[in-house]
Amino acid sequence: MTTSASPARRRGRPGGSQGTDLLAIARDVFLTHQYAGATMDAVAAGARVSKQTLYRQYPSKEVLFGAVVRDWVDRGRDAMRPHLQALMESEDVRQGLLELSRILHAGVLSPRCSRCGH
């Protein structure tokens, strides 16, 4: 009997996107096609997963959209945390607010965020 040091190879299709990667793909589908035009088919195809796999995790488009929004809000909160902390620690509140507004301005005008208006 010979044992191999390499992990066993899975049979079948290669795995598709999962977790936050899948939510990022879904977010792009919703931003590109808006809610009404977005389909679970498009998300499944973009994530390279079967519709059955997608529906097992997200039973409806509404549930998937809710997960996308929660993920995006959480990411935004995490991204802002150090900037809000810097404002709280600032000795010059005016300067701290100006710096925070510069960061918010740059974020809102970034190409990724500006797609939100489409």
Side-chain angles (χ1 to χ4, degrees), residues 40-63:
M40 296 294 270
D41 287 333
V43 174
R48 299 178 329 277
V49 298
S50 69
K51 284 195 314 182
Q52 181 181 11
T53 298
L54 182 61
Y55 275 107
R56 194 172 318 132
Q57 193 167 6
Y58 302 100
S60 68
K61 182 168 81 166
E62 182 178 287
V63 170

Side-chain angles (χ1 to χ4, degrees), residues 3 13-14 24 35 40 52 62 66 85 100 102 104 106-107 113 118:
T3 57
R13 293 198 306 184
Y35 183 84
M40 296 294 270
Q52 181 181 11
E62 182 178 287
Q85 186 64 35
L100 181 60
R102 184 189 64 73
L104 290 170
C113 191
H118 292 173

